[in-house]
Amino acid sequence: MKKKIVIIGAGFAGLNAAKTLSKNKEIEIVIIDRKNHHLFQPLLYQVATAGLNEADIAYPIRSIFSRKKNITVLKDVVVDFDLENRHVITKSDKIKYDYLIIAAGAEENYFGNTQWKNYAPTIKTLKDAQILRNKILNAFEMAEKAKSENEKKKFLTFIIIGGGPTGVELAGAIGEMTRITLAKDFRNIDPRLSRIILIEAGKRILPSFDEKLSTKATRDLESLGVQVWTNSLVTEINEKGVNIGNEFIEAATVIWAAGIKANKLSQKIPGEKDKSGRIKVNADLSLPNYPEIFICGDITNFEQNGTPLPGIAPVAMQQGKHAAKQILNDLKNKKREPFKYFDKGQLATIGKSKAIAEIKNIKLSGFIAWFTWIFVHILYLTGFKNRLFVMLQWGWSYFTFKKGARLIIDNEN
Amino acid sequence: MKKKIVIIGAGFAGLNAAKTLSKNKEIEIVIIDRKNHHLFQPLLYQVATAGLNEADIAYPIRSIFSRKKNITVLKDVVVDFDLENRHVITKSDKIKYDYLIIAAGAEENYFGNTQWKNYAPTIKTLKDAQILRNKILNAFEMAEKAKSENEKKKFLTFIIIGGGPTGVELAGAIGEMTRITLAKDFRNIDPRLSRIILIEAGKRILPSFDEKLSTKATRDLESLGVQVWTNSLVTEINEKGVNIGNEFIEAATVIWAAGIKANKLSQKIPGEKDKSGRIKVNADLSLPNYPEIFICGDITNFEQNGTPLPGIAPVAMQQGKHAAKQILNDLKNKKREPFKYFDKGQLATIGKSKAIAEIKNIKLSGFIAWFTWIFVHILYLTGFKNRLFVMLQWGWSYFTFKKGARLIIDNEN
């Protein structure tokens, strides 16, 4: 009988696992995702800041596997497991598996302050990006209509919490928007006078990069009008603004990019977790005591050289592929191999011609790092059409200084 | 002192009025719209059927007039008028005018059955198109998961009510989607077996066209699997489906394209209205007894040769321009001119290489009509970028048979 492999999540890990497995026609693969699309999350901040369309960075999962007849795609939500009988329980069904790959990803982490979510939305899904785009663009509209200087100031203050790549990229993009894109479009306000503050609790932004590059990124952000506040702890967020230590800053737009934790499905899995809920795994990425279950991507805690690997796309891609290969090994009665992450380097962009890159011992910044960033992101996008259209949009924005998707789409009547 | 002209609505009428007026630097223009974008409504059905992105057919109003320093754009909602003191009252302000152009457009008309709106959404705004796209794409996902044949059938039945251009274009696009785009992407259902029904109360679809062209359009729809039901009156819509006469059809997706009425603002305007609430105007488009107020576009009832002009883009464009010219005439102490609509013809598309066109006495169908349709729509789109990207998307779909924006974006977690 054909072996049945169920994959939960069509992110970078799940997609790569499915692609690797699909080469063996003797197995049956089911991919379950709550969304109908794979999302290229590294560019999500550009949807939130009106640079790209939703469809430029997302691809229907069904289309990806349209021709792979041994893959079934199911848009459904996994709610529980029956690990002893090897069943995945979804909202609408119960699915038997021989092997299970859990690649359910991560979600935002407000570190216990869940009420902050109402005032400081985060950015994990396309819906989040749409909400954020409406919020950012509406802030300028409200400022234009404001009756007092105080109100105007409140609407022109943007606070981004979290100095990792997402926070830095968002802050840079909002900086560019105010300095360039929107600069001439208003009559009562000058968007260039917007105040953009990037808040980081640690002693520097982008801590995973070399200190010199992190300083370079800070300078780049400042050149776009972004104030970088390090060693700054957020103590309260409400409808009026943010408390940083004892200082209160009034702001209409607050964005949360300060942390993620494992998808809540990890709570349904037995065994050891870290404090972010990520599941600790064996050397081959299998779940301790369950050799038929593999854990991949952001939901995984895999230690290499004494520290857990970060929740980034390259780790997820390599893990998904590795888990799939171990299943194929099993079916061929071959020995399983331990997982080893091959670090190709890291990149972050701040704005036009502004980025930093660290590839092994090579440290780059400025135009060449930016160009590398563009090249890598185009390369890893799914589908020729998305690559082409993202390139065209970027080319367009590069030469015209315009943003392509400056739409507020809400229920206003 | 500079004359101040307030324009309500940045649709085809308002936009053309503003463009014409802006050439006179001695006047001050304020455009008020509840949205931040001008929408190219003739292509909205393509956003609803995953063919185009929202940003391809919408353009920020501020961007259009970025360089016109005598134009102020206000994103606000008009709630009332003080016509005697010449004030427009918005949600957040009260604005004085010397001249007023009301081009507030139309809204959906459920002919008194407002509860039908919950089961049969319509398509007037980008938000409507997003909701419809989610609904259509989700229907296939639900059918794929359905446990019974009955349930499957319900999710694969699509009913479009209204045989005007919007209904025909929607039905054709859904037909293409099921026959081509989605055909190979599912495992438990065959989208080609979907049932698509276009309901028209009158004796034929597209009644404004010549009868032969209307028959041709019916054949084209049928070739895409659409059933065309004429002389069919909808008597009830609920969560289960639609009653047509005495027959009940179960359907998960019902779309309303059966009628429009004037924007509710028309109720705040004194004088005569027709049964759709459209305001009757003088020969120069001014409001009877208020020479400083002009009424343009879908909110207007203007009779030419004994019948009111239809609510279509070319009428709105010409009226907006005409009203603006009369104001410029006033300022130069020139005589006002009566409005006369110059009919350039009409077009409707059914699908790839399928369209009908009627230009004066020339009647076209098939590829040449379709090509004319494409040419005209590209020509009238706002902005070079939108033209380029729409052409590219269409080119892409033409050769690959794929749709560009097949995303379900909702709150599913």
Side-chain angles (χ1 to χ4, degrees):
Chain A
M1 225 185 77
K2 281 192 174 183
K3 292 283 179 194
K4 187 164 172 183
I5 293 138
V6 172
I7 300 171
I8 300 172
F12 288 111
L15 218 60
N16 275 275
K19 280 181 181 168
T20 306
L21 287 166
S22 71
K23 286 162 196 163
N24 183 336
K25 305 286 172 229
E26 296 309 303
I27 56 182
E28 196 189 326
I29 302 152
V30 178
I31 305 179
I32 309 171
D33 200 293
R34 56 193 173 184
K35 304 290 180 194
N36 84 326
H37 49 270
H38 166 69
L39 176 63
F40 192 80
Q41 241 163 8
L43 291 178
L44 193 55
Y45 81 97
Q46 294 215 356
V47 174
T49 52
L52 289 174
N53 292 304
E54 290 82 340
D56 294 330
I57 62 157
Y59 206 88
I61 305 163
R62 294 193 184 286
S63 291
I64 299 174
F65 299 115
S66 184
R67 289 182 202 175
K68 306 271 186 191
K69 295 298 170 195
N70 57 341
I71 298 185
T72 302
V73 177
L74 211 60
K75 184 179 182 294
D76 209 339
V77 182
V78 175
V79 290
D80 208 348
F81 301 95
D82 175 356
L83 299 184
E84 304 322 313
N85 296 306
R86 299 192 178 177
H87 276 115
V88 171
I89 299 154
T90 71
K91 265 190 186 171
S92 68
D93 216 342
K94 202 168 132 179
I95 301 153
K96 176 96 181 110
Y97 63 83
D98 296 302
Y99 283 96
L100 176 63
I101 296 177
I102 301 175
E107 54 189 46
E108 71 280 2
N109 192 354
Y110 286 87
F111 305 105
N113 302 292
T114 42
Q115 75 285 7
W116 290 0
K117 198 177 168 157
N118 303 320
Y119 317 113
T122 190
I123 177 177
K124 284 296 286 175
T125 66
L126 285 178
K127 187 79 192 171
D128 292 341
Q130 288 179 338
I131 290 168
L132 217 50
R133 185 176 59 203
N134 281 346
K135 201 176 165 76
I136 294 168
L137 294 173
N138 249 326
F140 294 99
E141 298 295 340
M142 296 302 288
E144 175 85 349
K145 284 192 288 193
K147 297 271 194 298
S148 72
E149 281 306 310
N150 255 352
E151 211 190 334
K152 196 178 279 187
K153 204 171 142 187
K154 179 185 167 184
F155 283 113
L156 291 180
T157 302
F158 300 83
I159 298 181
I160 300 104
I161 303 166
T166 303
V168 166
E169 285 166 346
L170 273 171
I174 296 173
E176 275 196 337
M177 203 181 225
T178 59
R179 262 61 188 172
I180 302 163
T181 323
L182 301 178
K184 296 197 173 103
D185 283 5
F186 292 84
R187 302 292 177 253
N188 300 320
I189 57 164
D190 184 347
R192 286 169 295 188
L193 302 180
S194 301
R195 189 178 188 198
I196 306 157
I197 310 174
L198 178 65
I199 309 279
E200 165 60 39
K203 72 181 174 34
R204 62 186 179 95
I205 58 167
L206 302 170
S208 65
F209 284 81
D210 179 82
E211 193 159 353
K212 273 183 194 154
L213 288 179
S214 149
T215 306
K216 174 72 178 133
T218 303
R219 294 296 156 268
D220 280 346
L221 282 169
E222 285 166 352
S223 77
L224 292 168
V226 178
Q227 304 171 9
V228 180
W229 293 18
T230 51
N231 295 311
S232 299
L233 203 70
V234 171
T235 50
E236 172 67 359
I237 308 176
N238 57 39
E239 71 278 15
K240 290 192 184 128
V242 179
N243 255 328
I244 294 143
N246 295 321
E247 188 176 356
F248 178 73
I249 303 172
E250 220 184 357
T253 311
V254 183
I255 305 171
W256 185 260
I260 54 168
K261 60 173 189 248
N263 184 299
K264 56 184 169 298
L265 267 188
S266 85
Q267 295 160 18
K268 305 277 184 182
I269 300 293
E272 211 185 334
K273 322 278 163 59
D274 67 14
K275 67 181 181 348
S276 305
R278 293 182 301 177
I279 303 161
K280 299 206 174 186
V281 293
N282 294 326
D284 62 352
L285 296 177
S286 67
L287 182 67
N289 304 320
Y290 294 86
E292 75 281 11
I293 300 178
F294 290 87
I295 316 287
C296 303
D298 289 1
I299 201 172
T300 318
N301 177 313
F302 183 89
E303 290 202 2
Q304 189 163 305
N305 306 327
T307 42
L309 292 174
I312 53 176
V315 171
M317 288 192 255
Q318 293 179 30
Q319 288 185 338
K321 210 167 170 183
H322 182 86
K325 279 185 178 164
Q326 302 327 301
I327 295 172
L328 296 176
N329 278 352
D330 275 14
L331 299 180
K332 287 184 273 188
N333 292 313
K334 277 193 186 168
K335 232 189 106 203
R336 289 193 182 179
E337 309 272 349
F339 174 71
K340 194 175 178 321
Y341 173 56
F342 176 72
D343 185 357
K344 293 181 190 164
Q346 50 179 338
L347 292 158
T349 182
I350 295 97
K352 195 185 208 175
S353 308
K354 293 181 178 69
I356 58 173
E358 193 168 338
I359 300 150
K360 306 276 169 198
N361 289 320
I362 307 166
K363 295 175 186 71
L364 304 170
S365 64
F367 185 83
I368 185 168
W370 183 70
F371 194 80
T372 310
W373 181 90
I374 286 196
F375 178 79
V376 168
H377 282 77
I378 294 281
L379 189 71
Y380 280 101
L381 262 179
T382 300
F384 174 75
K385 177 172 179 269
N386 286 9
R387 284 182 197 141
L388 175 71
F389 278 75
V390 168
M391 264 199 290
L392 286 168
Q393 307 249 25
W394 284 348
W396 175 266
S397 301
Y398 186 83
F399 291 109
T400 63
F401 299 93
K402 282 183 182 168
K403 295 262 185 185
R406 257 176 61 194
L407 306 177
I408 301 173
I409 302 176
D410 54 22
N411 284 317
E412 189 62 79
N413 272 311
Chain B
M1 226 185 79
K2 283 190 173 185
K3 292 281 179 194
K4 186 166 174 181
I5 293 139
V6 172
I7 301 171
I8 301 172
F12 288 111
L15 218 58
N16 274 275
K19 279 181 182 168
T20 307
L21 286 166
S22 71
K23 287 163 196 163
N24 183 334
K25 304 288 173 231
E26 295 309 302
I27 56 184
E28 196 188 326
I29 303 153
V30 178
I31 305 180
I32 309 171
D33 200 292
R34 56 195 172 182
K35 305 289 181 196
N36 84 326
H37 49 270
H38 166 70
L39 176 64
F40 191 79
Q41 243 163 7
L43 290 178
L44 192 55
Y45 81 97
Q46 295 217 355
V47 174
T49 53
L52 289 175
N53 292 303
E54 290 82 340
D56 294 330
I57 63 158
Y59 207 89
I61 305 163
R62 293 191 184 287
S63 291
I64 299 174
F65 299 115
S66 183
R67 289 184 202 172
K68 305 272 187 191
K69 294 299 170 197
N70 58 340
I71 298 185
T72 302
V73 178
L74 211 60
K75 182 177 183 297
D76 209 338
V77 182
V78 175
V79 289
D80 208 349
F81 300 95
D82 175 355
L83 299 185
E84 305 321 314
N85 297 305
R86 301 192 176 176
H87 276 115
V88 171
I89 299 152
T90 71
K91 265 189 186 171
S92 67
D93 215 342
K94 202 167 134 181
I95 301 155
K96 177 97 182 110
Y97 64 83
D98 296 302
Y99 283 96
L100 176 63
I101 297 178
I102 300 175
E107 54 190 44
E108 72 279 1
N109 191 355
Y110 286 87
F111 304 106
N113 301 292
T114 41
Q115 76 284 8
W116 291 359
K117 199 179 166 157
N118 303 319
Y119 317 113
T122 190
I123 177 176
K124 283 296 288 176
T125 66
L126 285 178
K127 186 79 191 172
D128 292 341
Q130 289 179 338
I131 290 168
L132 218 49
R133 185 175 60 202
N134 281 345
K135 200 175 166 79
I136 295 168
L137 293 173
N138 250 325
F140 294 99
E141 298 294 339
M142 296 302 288
E144 175 85 347
K145 283 190 289 191
K147 297 272 191 297
S148 73
E149 282 306 310
N150 254 352
E151 211 190 334
K152 197 178 278 186
K153 205 171 140 187
K154 180 185 166 184
F155 283 114
L156 290 180
T157 303
F158 300 83
I159 298 181
I160 299 102
I161 303 166
T166 302
V168 167
E169 286 167 344
L170 272 171
I174 296 173
E176 275 197 337
M177 203 181 224
T178 59
R179 263 59 188 172
I180 303 163
T181 324
L182 301 178
K184 296 195 173 103
D185 283 5
F186 292 84
R187 302 293 176 254
N188 300 321
I189 57 164
D190 184 348
R192 286 169 295 187
L193 303 180
S194 301
R195 190 178 189 200
I196 306 157
I197 310 173
L198 178 65
I199 309 278
E200 165 60 39
K203 70 181 175 31
R204 61 184 179 96
I205 59 167
L206 302 170
S208 65
F209 284 82
D210 179 82
E211 194 159 353
K212 275 183 192 154
L213 289 179
S214 150
T215 306
K216 174 71 179 136
T218 303
R219 294 297 156 266
D220 281 345
L221 282 169
E222 285 165 353
S223 76
L224 292 169
V226 178
Q227 304 172 12
V228 179
W229 293 18
T230 52
N231 294 312
S232 299
L233 203 69
V234 171
T235 50
E236 171 67 358
I237 309 176
N238 57 39
E239 71 279 13
K240 289 190 184 127
V242 179
N243 255 329
I244 294 142
N246 294 322
E247 188 176 356
F248 177 73
I249 303 171
E250 220 184 357
T253 310
V254 184
I255 305 171
W256 186 260
I260 53 168
K261 60 172 190 251
N263 184 298
K264 56 184 169 298
L265 266 188
S266 85
Q267 295 160 19
K268 306 278 185 181
I269 301 292
E272 211 184 335
K273 321 279 162 60
D274 66 15
K275 66 180 179 353
S276 305
R278 293 183 300 178
I279 303 161
K280 300 206 174 185
V281 293
N282 293 328
D284 63 352
L285 297 176
S286 67
L287 181 68
N289 305 321
Y290 294 87
E292 75 281 12
I293 300 178
F294 290 88
I295 317 286
C296 303
D298 290 2
I299 200 172
T300 318
N301 177 313
F302 182 89
E303 291 200 2
Q304 189 164 305
N305 306 327
T307 42
L309 292 175
I312 53 175
V315 171
M317 288 192 257
Q318 291 179 30
Q319 288 185 338
K321 210 168 170 181
H322 181 86
K325 277 185 181 164
Q326 302 326 302
I327 295 172
L328 296 177
N329 279 352
D330 275 13
L331 299 181
K332 286 184 275 189
N333 293 315
K334 277 192 186 168
K335 232 187 107 202
R336 289 194 183 179
E337 309 272 348
F339 174 72
K340 195 176 178 318
Y341 173 56
F342 176 73
D343 186 357
K344 292 180 190 165
Q346 50 178 338
L347 292 158
T349 183
I350 295 97
K352 196 185 204 173
S353 306
K354 294 181 177 70
I356 58 172
E358 194 169 337
I359 301 150
K360 305 276 167 201
N361 290 320
I362 308 165
K363 294 175 187 68
L364 303 170
S365 64
F367 186 83
I368 186 168
W370 182 69
F371 194 81
T372 310
W373 181 89
I374 286 196
F375 179 79
V376 169
H377 282 77
I378 294 281
L379 188 70
Y380 280 101
L381 261 178
T382 299
F384 173 76
K385 177 173 180 268
N386 287 10
R387 285 183 196 142
L388 176 71
F389 278 76
V390 168
M391 265 201 288
L392 286 167
Q393 308 249 25
W394 284 349
W396 175 263
S397 302
Y398 186 83
F399 292 109
T400 62
F401 299 92
K402 282 184 183 169
K403 294 262 186 185
R406 259 175 61 194
L407 306 177
I408 302 173
I409 302 176
D410 54 20
N411 284 318
E412 189 62 78
N413 272 311

